[in-house]
DNA sequence: ACACACATGTAAGGCGTTACATGATTCC
DNA sequence: GGAATCATGTAACGCCTTACATGTGTGT
């Protein structure tokens, strides 16, 4: 199971879509924690159809060809299996932490600057999430999956920002003394 | 500036090392948020030396050749510049969130299972961090950089676990009703 | 007419992991 | 003598991003 496969299966489980629409769905939702490009999506759609996990139907509209894909039984099972499997590949990459690590080694002033810029970055991201939440309130309800993830994001960014503030205070004392 | 460059520069800033030693340092510290392989490290060392950011010294011991690298002035400046630059590429990849997103769409029971397995995974990670912290207490002090990052990790994992517990309660009610 | 969104792809190139190759030293 | 560690690399392969190519429909 490669990196793009669960993304495609998952979005097709939400509703049958074309490759183009999948890309749009991803960009509106899951790309925040798992991106996907056309260069991945279209080849993967072909592979999935060859393996019988999805089925495509031509939906010609005039001269424009368009293929809408949907999950087969096997595809549904593959997605369920993936959801039930332990997150084997749980990798984190965080440039902010890398900076923190080396900046700390360069002394408290440097660490303080790094923590401060990290907090400012996260505060901008939090604003973004709050805007998404507000947009969801008026209009359609945030459904379970997206709602959960959004709530998680809000909670985590707040915790990060709190940590940064506390660290800044401690580091400021060290710089001062 | 590629992904491996700041890692190599940063570890060389901590102390002059061979490629082999850099790999070991990375595996003991920064790989938790930014991995590095020999296939990246050795080619990068050559590139960095060509560009004059590091300088290698042969340290032949008998028949075994060994090159220890250290930062040049230009290298120190390059690292400082990177530390001061805004984290342009701040990408997050989180398989757990992807699962949460699709599991939520599949109903509250599915979401509950996903949150629970996520929490268990994070609890295992937290144990690991606590062990590292305990190992640091007796023996050498945790220096500023690593200490900060460890503290951040502990704080964030605790916040994640708390969120999971709360979400589990809410979801359990939804499943029950 | 023109721009923009819809729709499907391909090609080039970079990045990174894994596995392999090679040889020296040290410890048991 | 054999195993583990030190030490430096290379090659193959896969994954992913970016840019490009191509053409249709829709709105102004």
């Amino acid at each position: 199971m490669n990196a793009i496969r669960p993304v495609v299966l998952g979005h097709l489980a939400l509703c049958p879509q074309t490759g183009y629409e999948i890309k749009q769905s991803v960009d509106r939702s899951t790309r925040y924690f798992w991106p996907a490009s056309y260069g991945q999506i279209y080849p993967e759609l072909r592979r999935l159809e060859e393996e019988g996990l999805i089925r495509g139907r031509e939906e010609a509209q005039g001269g424009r060809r368009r293929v809408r894909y949907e999950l087969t039984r096997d595809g549904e099972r593959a997605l369920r299996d993936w959801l039930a499997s332990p997150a084997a590949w749980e990798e984190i990459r965080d440039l902010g932490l890398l900076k923190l690590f080396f900046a700390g080694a360069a002394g408290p002033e440097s660490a303080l600057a790094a923590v401060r810029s990290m907090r400012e970055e996260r505060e901008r991201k939090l604003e973004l999430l709050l805007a998404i939440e507000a947009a969801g309130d008026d209009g359609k309800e945030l459904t379970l999956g997206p709602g959960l993830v959004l709530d998680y994001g809000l909670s985590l960014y707040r915790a990060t920002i709190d940590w940064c503030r506390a660290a800044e205070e401690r580091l400021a004392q060290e710089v001062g003394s």
Side-chain angles (χ1 to χ4, degrees), chain A:
Chain A
M1 177 85 74
N2 60 28
I4 188 63
R5 177 154 294 198
V7 177
V8 172
L9 288 178
H11 279 280
L12 288 181
L14 299 180
C15 80
Q17 296 174 78
T18 68
Y20 185 81
E21 288 167 338
I22 291 173
K23 169 68 171 153
Q24 287 185 307
S25 302
V26 167
D27 283 346
R28 263 183 290 110
S29 58
T30 49
R31 70 138 171 173
Y32 294 107
F33 37 91
W34 211 274
S37 66
Y38 286 126
Q40 294 176 272
I41 291 170
Y42 282 112
E44 183 64 23
L45 283 171
R46 195 177 306 166
R47 281 191 294 268
L48 284 169
E49 187 159 34
E50 272 171 22
E51 294 174 38
L53 301 184
I54 63 175
R55 180 177 36 239
R57 285 191 217 285
E58 290 270 342
E59 278 189 8
Q61 283 195 330
R64 179 190 286 177
R65 67 183 269 268
R66 182 162 73 154
V67 186
R68 185 173 302 276
Y69 293 93
E70 59 186 350
L71 292 188
T72 62
R73 289 282 164 80
D74 284 353
E76 284 169 18
R77 190 173 329 119
L79 181 59
R80 266 202 313 276
D81 288 350
W82 177 76
L83 285 173
S85 76
W89 182 38
E90 203 264 334
E91 92 167 20
I92 291 173
R93 281 181 181 240
D94 194 319
L95 217 48
L97 286 185
L98 197 64
K99 283 199 183 183
L100 204 53
F101 189 89
F102 293 130
E109 304 85 2
S110 182
L112 181 55
V115 173
R116 195 173 279 144
S117 92
M118 187 171 169
R119 174 172 57 79
E120 284 162 1
E121 210 270 330
R122 302 292 151 113
E123 279 171 344
R124 279 193 295 275
K125 281 281 173 62
L126 181 60
E127 290 299 323
L128 223 152
L129 289 185
L130 285 170
I132 293 175
E133 192 188 33
D137 274 349
D138 58 78
K140 60 191 186 297
E141 182 93 16
L142 278 171
T143 56
L144 196 55
L148 264 183
V149 171
L150 181 57
D151 189 59
Y152 176 85
L154 286 170
S155 152
L156 261 283
Y157 276 116
R158 288 199 177 104
T160 307
I161 291 165
D162 287 346
W163 179 87
C164 285
R165 268 193 242 282
E168 281 172 59
E169 270 182 46
R170 271 183 293 135
L171 288 169
Q173 284 191 347
E174 254 179 88
V175 172
S177 68

